[in-house]
Amino acid sequence: MTSLLEQPGYDEEKLQMVAEQLLCREDQAGLLLSLMGQPQQYCYPSIFIYGHQASGKSHVMHVMLKELELPHAIISCVECVSSSLLFELVLFSFFGSEASSLLPRSPSLSDFVRIYRQQCLQAPATQTRYIVMEKAELLRDADANLLPALLRLQELDNVSVILLSEISWDKFRPNTGCFEPLLLHFPDYSKGDLHQILSQDSHPKYSDDFYSSYINILLGVFYTVCRDLRELRHLVRHTHTHTVKETDTHKLWRNIEPHLKKAMQTVYLREVSSVQWEQMQQMEEKEAGALRGLSAHTHVELPYYSKFLLVAAYLASYNPARTDRRFFLKHHGKIKKTNFLKKNEKTSNHLLGPKPFPLDRLLAIFYSVVDSRVAPTASIFSQISSLVTLQLLTQVSHDDQLDAPKYKCAVSLDFICAISRTVNFEIVKYLYDFL
Amino acid sequence: MSKRKVKDSHLPVGECITEVQSILRERLCCNLHPDKPEEIEAQHKHLLELLKRTVIHGESNSVLIVAPRGAGKTMLLKCVLRDLLQEKEAEKSLLQVHLNGLLQTDDRIALKEITRQLHLENVVGDKVFGSFAENLAFLLEALKKGDRSSSRPVLFILDEFDLFAHHKNQTLLYNLFDVAQSAQAPIAVVGLTCRLDVLELLEKRVKSRFSHRQIHLLSTLTFCQYVQRVQTQLSLPENFPDKKFGQEWNKSITTLCKDASVEEVLRRHFNTSKDFRSMHALLMLCLSRVSVSKPVLKPADVLEASKLRFADAKGNMLHGLSILELCLIIAMKHLNDVYEDEPFNLQMVHNEFKKFLQRKSNSMYNFEQPVIMKAFEHLQQLELIRPVDSSTAKIQKEYQLMRLMLNHSQIMEALQKYPQCPTDVKQWAKSAFA
Ligand SMILES: Nc1ncnc2c1ncn2[C@@H]1O[C@H](COP(=O)(O)OP(=O)(O)OP(=O)(O)O)[C@@H](O)[C@H]1O
Ligand SMILES: Nc1ncnc2c1ncn2[C@@H]1O[C@H](COP(=O)(O)OP(=O)(O)O)[C@@H](O)[C@H]1O
Ligand SMILES: [Mg+2]
Ligand SMILES: [Mg+2]
């Protein structure tokens, strides 16, 4: 393995700068640089780099290409919604705005290659040019010829295409094959690596030691769930305000860990912003245990009857129709336990998901659960359609004209429990799965 | 750079390495055509004769070069063209049109490109043509009417030929073959393709106009020849600036290729693919390990390079999953075992995972549903699990049916390689494999 600093043809100071910024990625960067070779030498036509999110693929490429001042175009496939944007960006980065303005409206690959070739005649590459495609997996959705053509762009001039992706190459290969790129893997950061990188952006308020042990605790809580550096950094930024008051490393552990566990439900899922998170933490000191319920989806306000409609829809979706009599008929007689066969797990409806039901069944259940508290009107129907609009109900089989419309309930058990609590209805008693 | 006087020049090691890298990289990375193509003399001669007939005698012709990817179709053609242009007549009058199925994605674009490559844009101007054939005929006619009175031979090269067969009505192919067959103008059509079944793609009227000449580059390469090839590809030319270094390098390559462990590696590669391109990829990885501090290729380098080439991508990705994600995969594996590979949804997986948790007292893995959901989505994003049908719009995420894209041994291997895998998780996984 040639080390990063040892590559001839590059300025040593610049290499030093690169090495400083690529903590824990020295091996990968070294290998990459040795594949790229000296600036004026040829690099392999295409290189495919894969690895998990935030394993530093983009970071390494950006730092290397920028610090070493190599001619490059960095293209995010998310932003390049059409290939004409891609062509424009590549031509612009290598040859300036005159070249990119030569492109006709809605240019084809043929136009791009023609102009690229023309420009290369005027300005042949003295150094290898690099085209970096970020999130390359999106190229699969683009024009089928684009990826195979990019992979062999080097037939034009000294240019290499570097694809970055979190999906392995096997899922890219077109049916009739194509030029195979060199595959490089960026392994995930170990816990130690993550600690080292996260400790780098230490806050001036804290001592290094203190910050480091804070990171340690945070990793202890989150490492089993998430190894994504970007996510972890987000968590560090959004939770460290709480540590201000603590200065003693030993106390830190006891005090901070429960908070971090709560952060898992909120900050990690991006349901609250850091400001909200702070407010929550302050509130908590006054009234403990108000955390739950802040979750965004419990904040839906519905009209009274809509709530019952939704409850009825939930029951219709998750109970077998044959059990309706037993649950909703006033005088169904004694419940015979033997009527209920031993339930095989596979038949539990809360595993299989909601079943569609016809409108009349919904209404029957609705009138029975809502008791005599309601006067049935046409407004019921408009409430149903607004539930559909809110995507709390989904309509299925509407293309089948002969059939009456069928619906499915599209809310979770937690949600429906919360809803039925507000109307004093104990839904669990009416669910077949929980009998 | 090799302008330097050859005799008694002795360069510092750094410069030698730079030179080695430049020479070998050009060979391995860009499609430089060799002076004399190896092992395909017969095909070379055949194609050259054919094209000469068009150039010199004005005979029209069509031919397909069929070979797997990276076997040297383009290289063969380039070598033939180079030799063809040695002929005075060819140099003087031959016109070339290079089309590529990847670039000229429909016949309109192709025609524009033909016009451009024949330098007839001005002649055509704003003329409107009734049909494709009319347009093509006009182009060929325009070539005649130029300053020269006799018609000039045109060589049409269609790389990725099979893609042209997908164009609407195969208009371009039909017209080119038609012109070639009816000898309206001296043209040669050379198609390059990696599809052995290419003729089946052609419509009947197109097929009947094609000469049915095919040149195959099917290699009957033996392992000995393969090793020989590796050696030639890595060897430095005679005129290497530092003679002594060059000789030593070549000697070291000879010993390298005789090494038993290297031979084993090469045999493995030989058995997976024999073409030049995958060999070049391997050698490129070897070459990248040559540096000033280590100016030779050692067997260890070849081994390392081969390890990179054969890296297990899925295993690599599984290595980076979080424990929660790994647990979900094990749960899926259990479900697959119980229900005989029926698709599953998140609820079932979560339920299976809960069963594992119930057996344990500590709550280390007790996660809320949304956290599990996020992990599940991540697995989907990595395409380790895949929805059964893609019309996802109307189904809640937790009930979307999925399939696991990993097999038994892949999971098993991943578990073994997983860093610090908790023993209880390992045991749980094992219970599925019993
Ligand atoms: N007989 C040969 N001698 C020396 N080098 C060869 C030979 N055949 C192929 N090569 C080398 O192998 C590489 C791949 O060849 P080439 O590009 O011609 O493949 P191809 O058949 O056109 O592939 P594709 O179908 O992908 O276009 C080139 O670098 C070429 O120089
Ligand atoms: N080795 C590292 N040292 C410092 N920061 C890093 C390192 N690796 C990744 N990062 C940071 O992590 C974030 C995600 O990295 P990125 O390169 O965008 O990941 P990827 O492209 O692999 O998804 C970036 O903000 C980057 O600056
Ligand atoms: Mg990235
Ligand atoms: Mg080719």
Side-chain angles (χ1 to χ4, degrees):
Chain A
M1 172 73 37
T2 47
S3 96
L4 181 53
L5 294 174
E6 215 186 81
Q7 189 66 36
Y10 294 98
D11 189 36
E12 235 162 79
E13 260 170 51
K14 285 185 194 159
L15 283 177
Q16 187 69 46
M17 292 267 276
V18 171
E20 270 164 27
Q21 289 174 60
L22 297 183
L23 214 61
C24 308
R25 279 286 95 118
E26 292 90 353
D27 288 355
Q28 284 74 24
L31 176 58
L32 197 58
L33 200 60
S34 63
L35 278 174
M36 284 157 60
Q38 298 180 23
Q40 71 285 357
Q41 289 171 349
Y42 276 93
C43 170
Y44 203 73
S46 43
I47 299 176
F48 182 87
I49 300 178
Y50 66 102
H52 280 280
Q53 257 177 20
S55 54
K57 303 179 289 297
S58 315
H59 184 65
V60 168
M61 284 322 302
H62 286 230
V63 169
M64 285 219 295
L65 294 176
K66 294 227 170 88
E67 291 290 340
L68 300 176
E69 291 167 23
L70 302 170
H72 65 270
I74 292 178
I75 288 160
S76 157
C77 297
V78 182
E79 287 165 28
C80 281
V81 285
S82 70
S83 45
S84 64
L85 270 172
L86 188 157
F87 301 152
E88 216 178 299
L89 256 168
V90 171
L91 290 175
F92 178 78
S93 321
F94 292 153
F95 309 108
S97 54
E98 295 114 73
S100 59
S101 63
L102 288 177
L103 280 169
R105 194 179 293 187
S106 63
S108 65
L109 252 175
S110 178
D111 293 321
F112 168 67
V113 167
R114 188 187 72 234
I115 293 169
Y116 193 97
R117 212 180 248 140
Q118 270 172 14
Q119 295 294 322
C120 280
L121 285 180
Q122 291 164 20
T126 50
Q127 303 188 336
T128 311
R129 298 182 169 121
Y130 294 95
I131 301 177
V132 179
M133 308 290 296
E134 303 222 29
K135 293 243 179 256
E137 57 268 15
L138 293 172
L139 280 177
R140 297 178 302 174
D141 305 331
D143 181 11
N145 288 337
L146 188 58
L147 180 63
L150 280 177
L151 289 172
R152 51 198 326 160
L153 216 53
Q154 201 183 61
E155 289 175 14
L156 299 178
D157 196 26
N158 188 0
V159 56
S160 282
V161 176
I162 298 178
L163 304 170
L164 310 181
S165 171
E166 52 172 330
I167 290 176
S168 61
W169 170 248
D170 303 324
K171 308 221 158 139
F172 281 71
R173 200 174 285 122
N175 288 337
T176 49
C178 62
F179 189 101
E180 295 278 314
L182 276 186
L183 309 183
L184 283 190
H185 178 235
F186 273 33
D188 45 294
Y189 291 121
S190 71
K191 205 168 178 174
D193 292 343
L194 287 173
H195 186 260
Q196 203 179 339
I197 297 170
L198 285 172
S199 306
Q200 244 185 343
D201 31 47
S202 152
H203 205 276
K205 259 192 227 160
Y206 316 114
S207 72
D208 284 353
D209 264 0
F210 176 81
Y211 197 76
S212 157
S213 49
Y214 172 63
I215 300 284
N216 231 345
I217 295 168
L218 186 120
L219 281 176
V221 173
F222 282 99
Y223 190 65
T224 44
V225 178
C226 166
R227 300 181 173 192
D228 185 327
L229 178 59
R230 206 183 273 113
E231 294 264 12
L232 290 170
R233 207 175 250 173
H234 171 80
L235 284 162
V236 173
R237 287 211 185 111
H238 288 239
T239 53
H240 77 71
T241 41
H242 199 65
T243 57
V244 178
K245 282 157 268 157
E246 312 289 344
T247 44
D248 181 7
T249 323
H250 297 295
K251 265 198 219 150
L252 184 67
W253 165 254
R254 198 158 26 87
N255 290 333
I256 201 71
E257 205 207 0
H259 287 288
L260 289 178
K261 284 204 163 140
K262 275 170 206 151
M264 172 113 63
Q265 256 86 67
T266 50
V267 182
Y268 177 58
L269 296 170
R270 306 286 153 97
E271 284 186 348
V272 296
S273 67
S274 56
V275 181
Q276 274 176 308
W277 166 253
E278 257 171 66
Q279 284 167 352
M280 270 157 59
Q281 296 305 314
Q282 280 157 13
M283 248 167 50
E284 199 142 325
E285 270 144 37
K286 288 174 231 143
E287 35 180 315
L291 183 80
R292 276 204 130 288
L294 215 136
S295 212
H297 49 243
T298 54
H299 273 282
V300 183
E301 261 314 321
L302 287 176
Y304 185 71
Y305 291 135
S306 288
K307 287 181 181 172
F308 271 108
L309 271 173
L310 200 58
V311 166
Y314 193 86
L315 292 171
S317 274
Y318 286 91
N319 281 347
R322 66 188 159 83
T323 61
D324 283 357
R325 260 171 65 89
R326 184 196 156 280
F327 283 122
F328 305 116
L329 220 58
K330 292 276 156 49
H331 310 288
H332 58 74
K334 191 95 186 110
I335 306 168
K336 281 193 210 125
K337 283 257 163 73
T338 46
N339 279 356
F340 296 92
L341 305 167
K342 191 167 187 313
K343 278 178 286 177
N344 175 338
E345 245 183 8
K346 189 88 205 230
T347 62
S348 163
N349 291 308
H350 279 87
L351 288 184
L352 296 175
K355 299 262 184 316
F357 53 82
L359 190 60
D360 48 358
R361 183 164 168 234
L362 172 68
L363 291 179
I365 297 178
F366 170 69
Y367 289 126
S368 118
V369 293
V370 84
D371 248 354
S372 51
R373 285 173 281 188
V374 64
T377 54
S379 81
I380 294 295
F381 293 101
S382 78
Q383 292 196 24
I384 290 177
S385 65
S386 68
L387 285 176
V388 173
T389 322
L390 289 170
Q391 310 219 337
L392 299 172
L393 288 188
T394 48
Q395 197 171 350
V396 287
S397 77
H398 55 112
D399 44 341
D400 192 353
Q401 292 294 332
L402 289 175
D403 220 350
K406 287 193 171 179
Y407 299 90
K408 267 188 197 179
C409 185
V411 301
S412 66
L413 180 63
D414 283 347
F415 185 94
I416 203 70
C417 285
I419 290 280
S420 49
R421 221 174 292 130
T422 64
V423 291
N424 292 323
F425 181 79
E426 255 188 278
I427 191 164
V428 182
K429 279 193 181 162
Y430 289 85
L431 279 168
Y432 179 66
D433 280 344
F434 298 109
L435 222 57
Chain B
M1 272 200 208
S2 49
K3 269 182 236 140
R4 230 182 290 264
K5 285 202 185 73
V6 173
K7 62 177 167 79
D8 77 276
S9 62
H10 183 73
L11 304 178
V13 140
E15 274 182 51
C16 283
I17 289 300
T18 305
E19 197 70 9
V20 168
Q21 290 276 1
S22 300
I23 292 174
L24 293 186
R25 271 168 193 274
E26 269 182 26
R27 200 181 283 167
L28 301 178
C29 295
C30 61
N31 294 313
L32 276 194
H33 33 283
D35 298 332
K36 247 185 90 53
E38 304 160 41
E39 295 142 36
I40 49 167
E41 288 85 4
Q43 288 95 335
H44 181 268
K45 195 159 156 259
H46 185 173
L47 188 60
L48 187 58
E49 287 298 311
L50 215 63
L51 295 185
K52 265 188 189 165
R53 282 219 292 276
T54 305
V55 174
I56 297 170
H57 306 295
E59 277 176 31
S60 286
N61 230 322
S62 51
V63 60
L64 283 179
I65 306 176
V66 185
R69 290 217 169 262
K73 300 178 289 293
T74 311
M75 194 242 8
L76 169 67
L77 185 78
K78 277 192 183 158
C79 285
V80 167
L81 279 180
R82 188 192 50 201
D83 294 349
L84 186 69
L85 290 178
Q86 310 267 305
E87 301 273 334
K88 248 213 191 104
E89 207 136 341
E91 204 202 332
K92 208 170 61 198
S93 67
L94 180 70
L95 291 167
Q96 299 179 25
V97 176
H98 292 262
L99 300 178
N100 189 320
L102 288 175
L103 304 179
Q104 283 77 44
T105 43
D106 65 42
D107 287 341
R108 192 185 50 82
I109 299 176
L111 197 59
K112 243 169 69 188
E113 188 64 23
I114 294 173
T115 314
R116 216 186 49 75
Q117 291 194 18
L118 292 174
H119 306 292
L120 292 173
E121 292 129 306
N122 296 333
V123 183
V124 172
D126 311 323
K127 269 195 201 63
V128 181
F129 297 97
S131 71
F132 190 95
E134 209 176 288
N135 195 341
L136 189 67
F138 176 83
L139 293 181
L140 296 173
E141 195 61 26
L143 291 176
K144 255 187 227 176
K145 280 193 193 133
D147 38 356
R148 258 149 287 197
S149 55
S150 69
S151 54
R152 297 175 67 179
V154 189
L155 177 57
F156 285 91
I157 294 154
L158 308 179
D159 209 338
E160 310 281 347
F161 177 84
D162 48 307
L163 294 179
F164 287 99
H166 298 309
H167 294 186
K168 195 166 168 248
N169 294 335
Q170 306 189 340
T171 313
L172 175 73
L173 296 184
Y174 174 80
N175 283 295
L176 283 180
F177 285 154
D178 192 52
V179 172
Q181 197 202 27
S182 58
Q184 296 163 21
I187 70 165
V189 182
V190 183
L192 282 68
T193 178
C194 60
R195 285 190 65 167
L196 295 174
D197 63 343
V198 61
L199 283 187
E200 265 135 65
L201 299 176
L202 297 181
E203 286 171 20
K204 217 169 126 207
R205 63 199 177 98
V206 179
K207 208 167 167 181
S208 65
R209 283 167 173 76
F210 170 55
S211 70
H212 284 262
R213 250 187 261 276
Q214 293 193 25
I215 296 177
H216 287 266
L217 300 178
L218 298 180
S219 91
T220 49
L221 196 70
T222 62
F223 180 62
C224 269
Q225 286 168 315
Y226 183 78
V227 176
Q228 185 59 43
R229 223 182 232 189
V230 170
Q231 194 178 328
T232 7
Q233 291 289 324
L234 284 178
S235 297
L236 293 175
E238 286 287 314
N239 60 359
F240 190 75
D242 186 334
K243 258 239 157 80
K244 188 152 162 285
F245 184 92
Q247 279 165 358
E248 265 167 28
W249 172 273
N250 286 350
K251 222 180 281 165
S252 79
I253 295 297
T254 315
T255 35
L256 180 80
C257 289
K258 289 203 180 100
D259 185 275
S261 59
V262 171
E263 194 175 298
E264 195 182 320
V265 168
L266 289 182
R267 188 173 286 281
R268 197 167 160 211
H269 281 265
F270 174 73
N271 288 339
T272 40
S273 59
K274 305 179 189 179
D275 59 294
F276 267 91
R277 196 171 286 144
S278 49
M279 179 178 87
H280 282 170
L282 175 73
L283 298 185
M284 183 66 199
L285 288 170
C286 296
L287 181 65
S288 73
R289 305 175 64 84
V290 173
S291 65
V292 180
S293 58
K294 196 178 75 56
V296 280
L297 264 181
K298 286 272 162 61
D301 297 325
V302 182
L303 290 183
E304 281 300 314
S306 156
K307 224 185 263 166
L308 270 179
R309 282 291 285 163
F310 282 121
D312 166 24
K314 251 185 194 157
N316 278 338
M317 290 310 282
L318 287 174
H319 183 277
L321 293 181
S322 68
I323 294 182
L324 172 59
E325 285 152 355
L326 190 72
C327 283
L328 292 184
I329 286 192
I330 296 171
M332 292 170 201
K333 167 78 185 133
H334 276 273
L335 284 175
N336 273 350
D337 288 347
V338 175
Y339 298 113
E340 291 163 355
D341 296 328
E342 287 285 310
F344 49 79
N345 63 33
L346 172 62
Q347 287 293 351
M348 297 178 194
V349 175
H350 193 179
N351 192 51
E352 194 66 33
F353 183 42
K354 274 189 201 145
K355 278 198 253 163
F356 161 61
L357 295 183
Q358 274 160 14
R359 282 186 253 138
K360 297 157 34 76
S361 47
N362 76 8
S363 62
M364 170 154 167
Y365 306 111
N366 264 333
F367 303 111
E368 301 270 315
Q369 172 99 356
V371 175
I372 303 241
M373 173 77 91
K374 190 161 171 169
F376 200 70
E377 278 170 358
H378 188 218
L379 292 177
Q380 189 179 349
Q381 190 186 338
L382 293 172
E383 297 184 16
L384 294 174
I385 54 177
R386 206 175 252 181
V388 170
D389 62 335
S390 49
S391 58
T392 58
K394 293 233 158 157
I395 307 176
Q396 283 159 273
K397 272 189 231 148
E398 54 264 50
Y399 294 119
Q400 170 90 57
L401 286 179
M402 298 278 187
R403 274 186 208 285
L404 184 60
M405 308 310 285
L406 298 165
N407 61 30
H408 180 107
S409 58
Q410 281 168 327
I411 302 173
M412 205 55 182
E413 208 166 306
L415 273 168
Q416 260 154 17
K417 288 195 190 140
Y418 195 81
Q420 292 144 29
C421 185
T423 38
D424 47 359
V425 173
K426 250 187 196 161
Q427 259 157 12
W428 178 45
K430 267 199 201 112
S431 69
F433 295 100

